[in-house]
Amino acid sequence: MKKFIKNIMPIAAGLTLVFGATSCVKDLDVDPLDPNMSTEVSAEGLFNKCYANIAMAGNGGANGDCDIDGIDGGTSGFIRQMWNSNELPTDEAINGWGDDGIEQSCFNTYDESHPMLNGYFARLTTGITYCNQYLNIAADYDATMTAEVRFLRALDYYLLMDAFGRVPFSETLAKPVIMSRQEIYSWLEEELLTNIEPNLSAAAPKKSSDSGYGRVDKAAAWILLSRLYLNAEVYTGTAQWAKAAEYAKKVIDSAYKLNTTSVNGWSAYQMLFMGDNGESAASVEAIFPILQDGLTTTSWGTSQFLCAGSFDSDMHANPNDPNGTNGLSGQVWGGNRTRPSLIQKFFPNLDAPQVPSYEMVVAAGDDRAIFDGVGRELNNLDRATFKNGYAVAKFINYKSDGSSGHDATFMDADFFFLRAAEAYLTYAEALTRANGGKATAEAVNAINAVRARAHATQKTSYSLDDILDEWAREFYFEGRRRVDLIRFGKFGGNSDYKWQWKGGTYAGRNFDTYRNIYAIPASQLPTYDNVQNPGY
């Protein structure tokens, strides 16, 4: 199914020689476990490893060795940690597991000792190390491959900057220097415009049967640039709305489109998150799919986490789902579920019925309201009780054509880390902000295109608050909510927007703006000359 990264496993032994000493307490340099061993590996192997860092915890897949020391392998996954850092502290998600760090995230009380943020930091810097290793050894091997690796490194640096502000920066395997957000922003812009976008392949959606599926192309550079510019005022103090709209429009005008094809009763939106999303019409929207396959590319921290972590055995993704398995045998972990503020985006009066997800979308008049309310309470009065909060049935391993998964335990569903819908909402928001907060006709059309795909009511105007709500409706549980709330001034600081357990109280309370940036993990402080981020 997923052809690109299926060859990771045969090169695992060689990669281990190079990367075996990687640790969450290291700088951006790595050494062989045994300096007498040969460290020669193929360019293709190093190239695959740069992608694999996002898809899997380590060379051995879900149950193999993890590339990150000091944290559980399943927990250390790139997507899982990105998701935890951007969803659990927000108005969308809450979790009652007892893992150290979960409560602190849900209550906005994280600090330098937070183990999951330490793991996130380590996963990002480890990815940078792999990319620098490739560029050190094989930069001249293939221009397109080099541009892709530079993109992956830029993505890691972007996420590191967004989460932690100051960044340990190196383009080689030398000891990094600490750079400010402004400096990293400038480097990212120049790197994407000059060294990455010109050398990437043409923007063209693919299916898993096509060569290059899972590899980034020019559209990935455009959408990362548009995201960088959309948040430029947060990162630098200077807004860049025109540039955000410009690069979002490049994606909209490309061959990537919103998926509007539904199959066998599955909505076009639901198909984006199913077990055959790389094979179905949904792939037209996948600008950067993170590949998963139940046999060859497995992880506890990618689609598996998003799916199993949101289900219990009482949920039913469709009327023919007798066991509440979401398409996976026994993989129901009962962890992440909604806060009522997310449900309110679809049911303004908080009158969502206690029905399964396939009936909820009908009640909401919106295909995106994929929530299970059967036997559940809307409120999160008891954070430890999974049924205190409506459940999310968005990520499933069922296939739209009715075929079975490759494995009963692990997911085939890819995770669309970058998808075309982001460009539509970025374009709409940037145009609206540039127009003094009043949506232009083009902005209205872009939002209506996204809503039309979901069979939601079309509107003739949208305020900025409406656009923030639309970001939630379209992208909830996809790992971006914290960033959006910060940009709209609704996260840290004196905001009139509160949600249950915001700031650690059931009614919700504000917390200081310094928490918009995470603390530098304690283990990393020596790299920063022991200078912590302000407020911590």
Side-chain angles (χ1 to χ4, degrees):
M1 174 177 160
K2 318 299 188 235
K3 296 181 69 174
F4 174 58
I5 300 182
K6 73 177 182 180
N7 293 320
I8 291 171
M9 300 307 295
I11 63 165
L15 288 170
T16 300
L17 298 182
V18 177
F19 302 119
T22 300
S23 168
C24 62
V25 297
K26 294 284 186 181
D27 291 329
L28 300 187
D29 58 321
V30 293
D31 298 300
L33 286 174
D34 182 348
N36 295 315
M37 289 183 174
S38 170
T39 59
E40 182 177 353
V41 294
S42 69
E44 289 87 353
L46 287 168
F47 178 73
N48 275 357
K49 185 61 182 180
C50 294
Y51 276 98
N53 179 64
I54 299 176
M56 303 190 302
N59 294 329
N63 296 318
D65 290 338
C66 176
D67 290 342
I68 307 297
D69 292 339
I71 187 171
D72 173 76
T75 304
S76 76
F78 182 104
I79 297 302
R80 184 166 180 168
Q81 291 308 325
M82 182 274 298
W83 192 97
N84 283 337
S85 71
N86 289 319
E87 291 290 347
L88 290 181
T90 77
D91 60 340
E92 289 189 352
I94 196 165
N95 185 300
W97 291 339
D99 308 47
D100 187 17
I102 293 289
E103 180 178 285
Q104 297 95 311
S105 291
C106 292
F107 291 173
N108 310 101
T109 57
Y110 33 80
D111 59 20
E112 66 180 28
S113 65
H114 195 289
M116 295 177 183
L117 291 172
N118 188 25
Y120 186 38
F121 189 103
R123 178 59 65 180
L124 294 174
T125 53
T126 296
I128 291 165
T129 297
Y130 293 155
C131 293
N132 283 343
Q133 182 82 10
Y134 176 89
L135 296 170
N136 181 64
I137 293 174
D140 296 331
Y141 180 76
D142 180 274
T144 302
M145 289 169 63
T146 293
E148 291 178 45
V149 171
R150 295 183 82 132
F151 174 87
L152 296 174
R153 183 179 64 178
L155 178 63
D156 285 328
Y157 272 127
Y158 169 80
L159 294 171
L160 200 64
M161 173 199 70
D162 175 79
F164 299 99
R166 295 174 297 137
V167 167
F169 179 82
S170 177
E171 293 184 87
T172 68
L173 297 178
K175 183 178 178 64
V177 296
I178 303 303
M179 290 176 61
S180 68
R181 253 188 173 182
Q182 175 69 67
E183 289 172 324
I184 289 295
Y185 177 96
S186 298
W187 177 85
L188 282 167
E189 182 180 27
E190 176 68 16
E191 177 77 351
L192 284 162
L193 290 174
T194 303
N195 297 319
I196 297 175
E197 190 273 349
N199 296 312
L200 290 174
S201 58
K206 304 171 183 67
K207 294 187 176 183
S208 66
S209 56
D210 297 325
S211 175
Y213 176 73
R215 294 173 60 174
V216 296
D217 59 26
K218 289 183 185 295
W222 298 336
I223 207 162
L224 186 56
L225 278 164
S226 71
R227 187 182 291 192
L228 184 71
Y229 290 136
L230 187 66
N231 293 287
E233 191 169 27
V234 173
Y235 300 144
T236 71
T238 302
Q240 298 288 356
W241 309 126
K243 290 182 179 179
E246 175 188 354
Y247 281 92
K249 190 64 160 57
K250 286 179 177 287
V251 177
I252 294 171
D253 291 342
S254 75
Y256 288 96
K257 303 296 179 185
L258 297 173
N259 176 43
T260 57
T261 301
S262 58
V263 174
N264 294 333
W266 298 104
S267 72
Y269 182 77
Q270 175 72 86
M271 289 176 63
L272 300 171
F273 314 101
M274 298 182 67
D276 61 345
N277 55 359
E279 292 74 58
S280 72
S283 62
V284 74
E285 191 163 334
I287 293 174
F288 184 18
I290 308 303
L291 307 189
Q292 296 289 276
D293 182 276
L295 294 176
T296 62
T297 312
T298 62
S299 170
W300 297 111
T302 309
S303 301
Q304 193 87 4
F305 166 73
L306 297 171
C307 178
S310 299
F311 263 76
D312 69 9
S313 59
D314 294 330
M315 293 168 60
H316 302 279
N318 63 68
N320 299 316
D321 175 18
N323 301 316
T325 63
N326 60 59
L328 294 171
S329 177
Q331 291 296 311
V332 285
W333 303 346
N336 301 312
R337 77 272 193 192
T338 65
R339 305 200 198 208
S341 46
L342 174 56
I343 301 300
Q344 196 167 24
K345 304 299 185 287
F346 296 91
F347 295 92
N349 298 320
L350 287 174
D351 55 355
Q354 292 180 302
V355 296
S357 58
Y358 49 87
E359 295 180 16
M360 192 73 72
V361 296
V362 177
D366 193 318
D367 292 344
R368 300 170 295 187
I370 312 175
F371 308 115
D372 184 283
V374 177
R376 303 177 193 280
E377 299 293 331
L378 186 64
N379 293 314
N380 308 133
L381 183 60
D382 181 3
R383 188 184 65 87
T385 301
F386 184 64
K387 285 185 167 57
N388 272 206
Y390 277 26
V392 172
K394 179 173 177 174
F395 302 94
I396 56 178
N397 206 43
Y398 288 106
K399 300 193 176 185
S400 60
D401 63 2
S403 62
S404 299
H406 294 170
D407 183 79
T409 300
F410 291 108
M411 294 281 286
D412 290 334
D414 300 331
F415 175 63
F416 292 176
F417 185 73
L418 300 174
R419 59 185 181 90
E422 178 178 343
Y424 286 77
L425 295 186
T426 295
Y427 185 64
E429 182 184 333
L431 291 179
T432 300
R433 289 187 182 276
N435 196 42
K438 181 177 174 58
T440 65
E442 293 91 343
V444 170
N445 289 339
I447 298 171
N448 279 339
V450 173
R451 291 180 63 83
R453 184 260 293 282
H455 297 100
T457 303
Q458 308 293 283
K459 299 182 180 181
T460 58
S461 66
Y462 294 93
S463 67
L464 281 172
D465 282 344
D466 292 333
I467 293 173
L468 177 60
D469 287 348
E470 202 62 35
W471 277 113
R473 294 185 191 101
E474 180 67 23
F475 284 97
Y476 68 89
F477 273 50
E478 293 184 52
R480 63 168 296 135
R481 186 59 172 173
R482 170 186 150 273
V483 182
D484 294 332
L485 288 173
I486 290 171
R487 188 173 66 256
F488 278 81
K490 306 284 189 182
F491 195 63
N494 188 23
S495 171
D496 59 358
Y497 183 52
K498 299 180 180 65
W499 53 85
Q500 285 183 11
W501 296 113
K502 180 183 182 182
T505 67
Y506 177 67
R509 65 181 178 186
N510 289 327
F511 53 87
D512 291 335
T513 54
Y514 74 80
R515 292 190 179 278
N516 287 355
I517 296 177
Y518 287 118
I520 304 301
S523 63
Q524 304 295 337
L525 277 174
T527 303
Y528 287 79
D529 294 326
N530 294 309
V531 178
Q532 182 55 270
N533 281 335
Y536 292 100

